[in-house]
Amino acid sequence: MILASISSFSSISTYPIPQQSKKPNPYQSHQKVFSKSNQVIDFTSSKTLEIRKTCECFDLYNELVPYDKAWSWQKNIVKEKKALIESNEECPDSLIILQHSPVYTMGTASSEEHLNFDIKDPPFQVFRTERGGEVTYHGPGQLVMYPIINLRNHKMDLHWYLRALEEVVIRVLSSTFSIKASRLEGLTGVWIGDQKLAAMGIRVSQWITYHGLALNVTTDLTPFRWIVPCGIQNRQVGSIKELLRQSRPSNGCRKSDLHHPDDFQLIDITHNSLIKEFSEVFQLEVQRKTNLLFEPSEKNSFATELFS
């Protein structure tokens, strides 16, 4: 199942990681674990001596950004990139990373049958979007990455792109938390057993990507009960926090708590690792932007709020 939506086809230097928390990361590991893929894709064969292209990163990972605002940012950035391409100018890649205020989003073909609440009286705002995929939930404790990249500079293949996004998360879980994640045949996302930790839904217009992936780190998973996440029955949603909690010794020894970060540290650690692995998988030099994203100059015509 390809969680992608396509329109108008005319047709990683290491990220400078922000200072870590004072407590050392007890999960750091140099071992890489690669899961079986829907198709064989080698993400380790890139030319390490080649000069990497830059990727501007709007790093708002500690911010709760309303969904419609982040959506407008993406649309405006895509519009700018199309203009650069049309004028034969350099079109650098971009990345937005943030958290959202609680919200449900639906894809182009999402069914309201996957909502376990009255659409006229939802627990949170509901937006129908132009991305691929079914309904999902975004909220605090979930890190969302919106890569807005020109696939002409990478590989003009949506299967490859989705597998690359999955690879970023799989590497984060393995190298940072020693968690062995995998893909499931026929499904998009990153899984631990029957628990989905990362969901993906994208849109591609003239080979420029937007929307992206959402990784549950310390997320309250309760709002997922009010939907059928990604339209997949009989599967669960998990988080890094819950997996680490389940791995704790059950001997009642409080000393073990010293080896587990609190929620803020866990977000910091995961954020740093996501940026690092993104830069490696896509062979980009990620450069953080200190200035705030621009405010949209006009209403985002693609964003349709159903009810609030």
Side-chain angles (χ1 to χ4, degrees):
M1 177 176 62
I2 303 295
L3 298 189
S5 183
I6 312 168
S7 71
S8 303
F9 274 125
S10 46
S11 43
I12 28 213
S13 172
T14 305
Y15 171 76
I17 299 177
Q19 185 175 357
Q20 291 271 11
S21 305
K22 292 183 178 180
K23 294 184 179 180
N25 176 7
Y27 301 103
Q28 190 64 43
S29 168
H30 296 292
Q31 182 179 6
K32 299 288 186 181
V33 178
F34 300 97
S35 66
K36 294 180 180 179
S37 171
N38 293 341
Q39 51 185 297
V40 178
I41 300 176
D42 184 3
F43 292 98
T44 64
S45 62
S46 54
K47 298 178 181 178
T48 56
L49 297 180
E50 184 178 339
I51 297 177
R52 297 182 179 185
K53 294 183 179 293
T54 61
C55 174
E56 59 181 6
C57 177
F58 299 98
D59 196 348
L60 307 172
Y61 83 100
N62 269 328
E63 303 285 338
L64 286 180
V65 180
Y67 187 83
D68 53 347
K69 178 177 288 190
W71 201 350
S72 294
W73 291 342
Q74 292 180 75
K75 291 297 298 180
N76 279 341
I77 293 174
V78 169
K79 184 178 179 180
E80 287 186 349
K81 292 190 185 306
K82 287 181 179 179
L84 289 172
I85 292 172
E86 289 175 2
S87 60
N88 294 317
E89 296 183 51
E90 182 70 20
C91 178
D93 292 333
S94 301
L95 173 67
I96 304 173
I97 183 166
L98 45 71
Q99 298 179 56
H100 280 306
S101 305
V103 66
Y104 291 112
T105 67
M106 304 173 70
T108 52
S110 293
S111 171
E112 292 184 10
E113 294 179 358
H114 294 139
L115 305 179
N116 298 328
F117 54 79
D118 184 351
I119 189 64
K120 296 181 180 179
D121 185 27
F124 306 113
Q125 287 182 300
V126 181
F127 288 91
R128 183 175 289 278
T129 78
E130 80 276 43
R131 64 164 172 80
E134 266 290 350
V135 62
T136 194
Y137 166 77
H138 298 301
Q142 180 191 78
L143 288 176
V144 180
M145 296 183 74
Y146 293 131
I148 308 171
I149 65 177
N150 182 3
L151 288 180
R152 296 177 183 86
N153 296 332
H154 299 273
K155 191 171 183 178
M156 295 164 67
D157 182 331
L158 299 190
H159 290 273
W160 174 87
Y161 178 59
L162 286 167
R163 301 295 81 76
L165 291 179
E166 292 167 347
E167 183 70 17
V168 170
V169 177
I170 289 171
R171 291 188 182 195
V172 167
L173 295 173
S174 172
S175 66
T176 305
F177 301 105
S178 297
I179 296 174
K180 185 177 181 180
S182 65
R183 303 174 177 90
L184 294 184
E185 185 175 356
L187 299 176
T188 299
V190 176
W191 302 76
I192 309 294
D194 68 346
Q195 294 186 44
K196 190 173 190 177
L197 264 68
M200 287 148 202
I202 65 171
R203 177 81 171 185
V204 179
S205 179
Q206 298 178 19
W207 293 114
I208 299 175
T209 71
Y210 58 117
H211 295 285
L213 70 85
L215 173 61
N216 297 322
V217 184
T218 64
T219 324
D220 177 6
L221 302 178
T222 304
F224 284 102
R225 300 175 187 172
W226 303 329
I227 59 174
V228 179
C230 302
I232 304 174
Q233 301 280 359
N234 303 319
R235 300 281 185 177
Q236 301 177 14
V237 175
S239 69
I240 294 176
K241 179 181 178 179
E242 283 302 304
L243 286 173
L244 296 180
R245 183 186 62 81
Q246 294 169 13
S247 69
R248 293 190 187 190
S250 57
N251 55 12
C253 179
R254 294 182 60 85
K255 185 177 180 180
S256 63
D257 291 342
L258 297 177
H259 301 287
H260 292 78
D262 60 29
D263 284 9
F264 296 105
Q265 291 173 316
L266 195 52
I267 289 288
D268 286 344
I269 291 169
T270 307
H271 155 264
N272 292 341
S273 186
L274 274 171
I275 298 294
K276 175 181 179 294
E277 299 300 346
F278 176 84
S279 71
E280 291 299 324
V281 169
F282 287 93
Q283 290 292 287
L284 291 167
E285 181 181 352
V286 180
Q287 299 178 345
R288 282 196 302 168
K289 290 285 187 178
T290 56
N291 58 302
L292 295 176
L293 286 164
F294 53 81
E295 291 294 333
S297 58
E298 57 185 24
K299 185 177 180 180
N300 181 356
S301 60
F302 288 91
T304 303
E305 181 178 357
L306 301 182
F307 293 94
S308 62

